[in-house]
């Protein structure tokens, strides 16, 4: 709403149950978190799932990854067809040489050298009449012809693939890694109970069995080949598999993301996709900023009228908290993809009251000590020690509330809780390291230490009736 973003409505292609929809929402949320989108709004509307992504920098990539909702499938590559040969009959395809990625055993689990191989695909018998055009339906149990595309949407290769041998449910994790020669690889972990299933596929591909004559295993999502690595080991340990090739960092991370969160319990298709410009949130932003400024001005006026110089200290302390918060927001936004939305702005505005309360607690303790007869100068340290204990208890209560909201909610409410919690922590820092030292400097001033009214302090009880 502040920076613009993307909204997409996903609809199941067939009737499904509430449990499947709920699980799909969680997988989509994990996928969105994986690409660094903060404060996503992922909610259910009837049987549809509404995904709103505020502040995304690469909208096309976000839409592409969110839209990849079909089941992740592993299919053996029967034959590779360059796009320019797609119109030929299968029997005419004698040799195709192409550079592919490979699946290798990861010995170190940290660094893996990239292996580039040349795959020779011999003429396959028994494939006469096999369609080289992409089918309308990608049925898991049937052979299929599918394509691989580059980042610009251009077809790179077309593959004749066998029936699905396994799905994404055999995977427990995947991550992009930087190899020893500055190339990126993807480390894959197979679930313990599924490693035998995967090794059966690997053994057949390694030995160029009739079911996997090219030795390659295609990773397919949404009827598109994401990668088709060659299998160069007959068996693997569950946590020692590495997909290597000429990946860029982005390609490796995207493939790892697809492998981690590619499998959904229900197939979804986008019904409505909308790219929202930042101008749509401008009115709401202006209203929020104006409300915040009016509230801040009224609070500042009250503090100055009631506490005078100490009111100025409160305003400066609030400014320090705001500067620290802005620095933190800028850092997290640049490095963690944190988006500042209106919910976050609301949390920041509410935190103004939390910060001012800390000042009021300190000043009221100070007033009581001065009224009992202590000098302003000697009362500051003792009053702050007592007040800070109260401030800590109050701020911890706010942090507990913010923490519970953050853990149990999603979307804008989580953004509100996050910024309220950050502001509360920074209030403690500003109170201890700024408010107290500045108050001490002012009350120790020779020109001000004998003028308690300048600090909004009462006349000491022992001096009532005499001029202050």
């Amino acid at each position: 709403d502040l920076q613009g973003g993307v909204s997409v409505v996903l609809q199941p292609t067939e009737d499904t149950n509430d449990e499947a929809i709920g699980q799909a929402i969680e997988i989509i949320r994990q996928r969105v978190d994986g690409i660094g989108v903060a404060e996503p709004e992922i909610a259910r509307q009837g049987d549809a799932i509404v995904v709103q992504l505020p502040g995304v920098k690469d909208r096309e990539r976000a839409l592409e990854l969110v839209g990849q909702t079909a089941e992740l499938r592993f299919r053996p590559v029967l034959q590779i067809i360059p796009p320019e040969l797609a119109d030929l009959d299968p029997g005419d395809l004698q040799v195709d040489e192409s550079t592919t990625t490979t699946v290798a055993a990861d010995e170190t689990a940290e660094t893996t050298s990239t292996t580039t191989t040349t795959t020779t695909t011999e003429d396959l018998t028994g494939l006469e009449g096999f369609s080289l055009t992409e089918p309308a339906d990608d049925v898991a149990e049937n052979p299929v012809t599918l394509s691989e595309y580059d980042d610009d949407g251009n077809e790179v290769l077309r593959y004749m693939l066998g029936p699905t041998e396994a799905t994404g449910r055999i995977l427990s994790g995947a991550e992009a890694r930087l190899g020893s020669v500055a190339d990126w690889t993807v480390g894959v972990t197979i679930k313990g109970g599924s490693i035998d299933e995967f090794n059966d596929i690997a053994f057949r591909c390694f030995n160029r069995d009739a079911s996997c004559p090219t030795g390659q295993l295609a990773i397919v999502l949404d009827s598109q080949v994401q990668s088709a690595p060659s299998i160069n080991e007959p068996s693997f340990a569950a946590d020692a598999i590495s997909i290597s090739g000429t990946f860029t960092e982005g390609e490796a991370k995207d493939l790892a993301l697809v492998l981690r969160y590619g499998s959904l319990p229900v197939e979804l298709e986008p019904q409505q996709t909308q790219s929202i410009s930042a101008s749509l949130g401008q009115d709401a932003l202006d209203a929020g900023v104006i409300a915040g400024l009016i509230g801040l001005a009224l609070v500042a006026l009250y503090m100055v009228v009631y506490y005078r110089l100490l009111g100025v200290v409160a305003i400066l302390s609030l400014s320090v908290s705001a500067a620290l918060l802005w620095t933190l927001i800028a850092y997290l936004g640049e490095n963690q993809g944190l988006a500042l939305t209106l919910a976050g702005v609301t949390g920041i505005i509410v935190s103004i009251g939390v910060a001012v309360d800390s000042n009021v607690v300190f000043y009221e303790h100070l007033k009581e000590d001065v009224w009992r007869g202590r000098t302003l100068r000697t009362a500051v340290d003792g009053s702050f020690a007592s007040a800070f204990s109260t401030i800590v208890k109050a701020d911890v209560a706010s942090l507990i509330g913010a923490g519970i909201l953050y853990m149990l909610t999603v979307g804008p409410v989580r953004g509100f809780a996050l910024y309220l919690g950050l502001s509360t922590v920074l209030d403690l820092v500003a109170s201890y390291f700024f408010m107290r030292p500045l108050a001490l400097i002012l009350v120790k001033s020779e020109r001000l230490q004998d003028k308690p009214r300048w600090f909004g302090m009462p006349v000491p009880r022992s001096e009532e009736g005499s001029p202050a």
Side-chain angles (χ1 to χ4, degrees):
D1 47 3
L2 303 183
Q3 301 179 24
V6 172
S7 175
V8 59
V9 179
L10 302 171
Q11 184 75 34
T13 58
E14 56 186 20
D15 292 338
T16 186
N17 55 46
D18 291 344
E19 183 179 0
I21 292 291
Q23 186 178 353
I25 289 175
E26 290 304 314
I27 293 176
I28 292 173
R29 180 173 289 113
Q30 289 177 324
R31 186 181 291 175
V32 169
D33 290 342
I35 60 177
V37 178
E39 296 190 37
E41 176 76 19
I42 305 173
R44 179 176 178 176
Q45 289 184 355
D47 287 338
I49 299 174
V50 180
V51 183
Q52 296 179 353
L53 310 177
V56 293
K57 295 181 179 179
D58 190 341
R59 298 180 185 182
E60 293 301 323
R61 176 173 178 250
L63 277 176
E64 181 183 355
L65 291 175
V66 170
Q68 291 177 339
T69 56
E71 183 178 64
L72 184 70
R73 297 169 180 171
F74 295 91
R75 290 178 176 268
V77 177
L78 304 180
Q79 193 156 5
I80 305 170
I81 309 104
E84 63 271 16
L85 302 180
D87 293 332
L88 297 179
D89 292 331
D92 295 333
L93 300 177
Q94 299 296 327
V95 176
D96 169 39
E97 295 185 353
S98 60
T99 301
T100 69
T101 56
T102 63
V103 172
D106 187 351
E107 300 294 340
T108 64
E110 295 179 358
T111 58
T112 304
S113 60
T114 300
T115 304
T116 303
T117 64
T118 300
T119 301
T120 300
T121 307
E122 301 295 341
D123 179 31
L124 301 179
T125 60
L127 289 179
E128 292 76 6
F130 197 106
S131 174
L132 299 184
T133 60
E134 296 190 61
D137 295 319
D138 177 9
V139 181
E141 296 78 12
N142 298 337
V144 69
T145 300
L146 298 176
S147 297
E148 181 179 2
Y149 298 89
D150 61 20
D151 293 337
D152 297 324
N154 301 314
E155 187 180 27
V156 178
L157 289 173
R158 191 171 295 181
Y159 298 88
M160 298 166 64
L161 307 175
T164 299
E165 295 283 356
T167 69
R169 290 178 174 82
I170 70 171
L171 303 179
S172 64
E175 62 177 351
R177 300 171 181 166
L178 185 60
S180 59
V181 290
D183 285 327
W184 285 85
T185 64
V186 179
V188 177
T189 303
I190 305 293
K191 293 179 181 177
S194 300
I195 188 60
D196 290 339
E197 178 183 355
F198 181 81
N199 280 336
D200 175 66
I201 304 169
F203 180 82
R204 286 185 280 118
C205 286
F206 178 75
N207 290 286
R208 306 295 179 95
D209 183 84
S211 63
C212 186
T214 65
Q216 292 178 245
L217 188 65
I219 301 168
V220 178
L221 186 64
D222 282 345
S223 298
Q224 290 187 15
V225 177
Q226 305 295 317
S227 182
S230 295
I231 305 295
N232 67 356
E233 298 284 344
S235 63
F236 301 85
D239 58 351
I241 300 174
S242 179
I243 302 176
S244 57
T246 55
F247 295 127
T248 64
E249 179 181 2
E251 290 170 343
K253 289 183 176 180
D254 284 352
L255 179 57
L257 193 63
V258 166
L259 291 171
R260 286 201 304 270
Y261 308 125
S263 181
L264 291 179
V266 58
E267 186 172 351
L268 304 170
E269 60 181 4
Q271 293 293 313
Q272 178 183 357
T273 302
Q274 184 179 13
S275 181
I276 305 169
S277 68
S279 61
L280 295 179
Q282 191 63 47
D283 290 342
L285 172 60
D286 291 343
V289 171
I290 291 172
L293 291 176
I294 291 174
L296 185 60
L298 291 175
V299 168
L301 179 62
Y302 172 82
M303 294 297 289
V304 170
V305 169
Y306 198 74
Y307 293 109
R308 301 178 188 179
L309 286 177
L310 289 179
V312 175
V313 173
I315 295 171
L316 293 176
S317 178
L318 198 60
S319 300
V320 169
S321 294
L324 291 173
L325 181 60
W326 187 257
T327 301
L328 191 57
I329 291 172
Y331 173 80
L332 293 176
E334 181 68 24
N335 295 278
Q336 302 296 325
L338 183 68
L340 177 60
T341 66
L342 284 178
V345 172
T346 304
I348 294 172
I349 292 174
V350 171
S351 72
I352 294 174
V354 175
V356 172
D357 279 348
S358 299
N359 289 269
V360 171
V361 169
F362 174 36
Y363 299 160
E364 290 302 313
H365 274 78
L366 189 58
K367 285 175 66 174
E368 289 182 3
D369 286 348
V370 170
W371 186 76
R372 291 192 182 102
R374 297 183 65 181
T375 66
L376 188 60
R377 181 173 184 174
T378 58
V380 168
D381 276 332
S383 299
F384 182 81
S386 177
F388 192 68
S389 174
T390 303
I391 292 170
V392 169
K393 294 183 179 75
D395 283 356
V396 167
S398 294
L399 284 174
I400 291 173
I404 292 175
L405 279 176
Y406 187 84
M407 290 185 293
L408 299 183
T409 60
V410 296
V413 179
R414 174 174 281 193
F416 170 85
L418 173 64
Y419 285 103
L420 178 60
L422 289 176
S423 302
T424 302
V425 172
L426 294 177
D427 170 58
L428 289 172
V429 175
S431 296
Y432 192 85
F433 293 101
F434 183 82
M435 178 178 68
R436 172 182 172 274
L438 185 56
L440 275 173
I441 292 173
L442 289 176
V443 301
K444 288 182 178 180
S445 169
E446 294 182 359
R447 296 179 58 186
L448 300 175
Q449 61 181 336
D450 296 326
K451 297 180 174 61
R453 290 190 183 276
W454 285 36
F455 295 90
M457 295 294 111
V459 176
R461 185 167 51 183
S462 58
E463 298 179 14
E464 288 182 348
S466 60

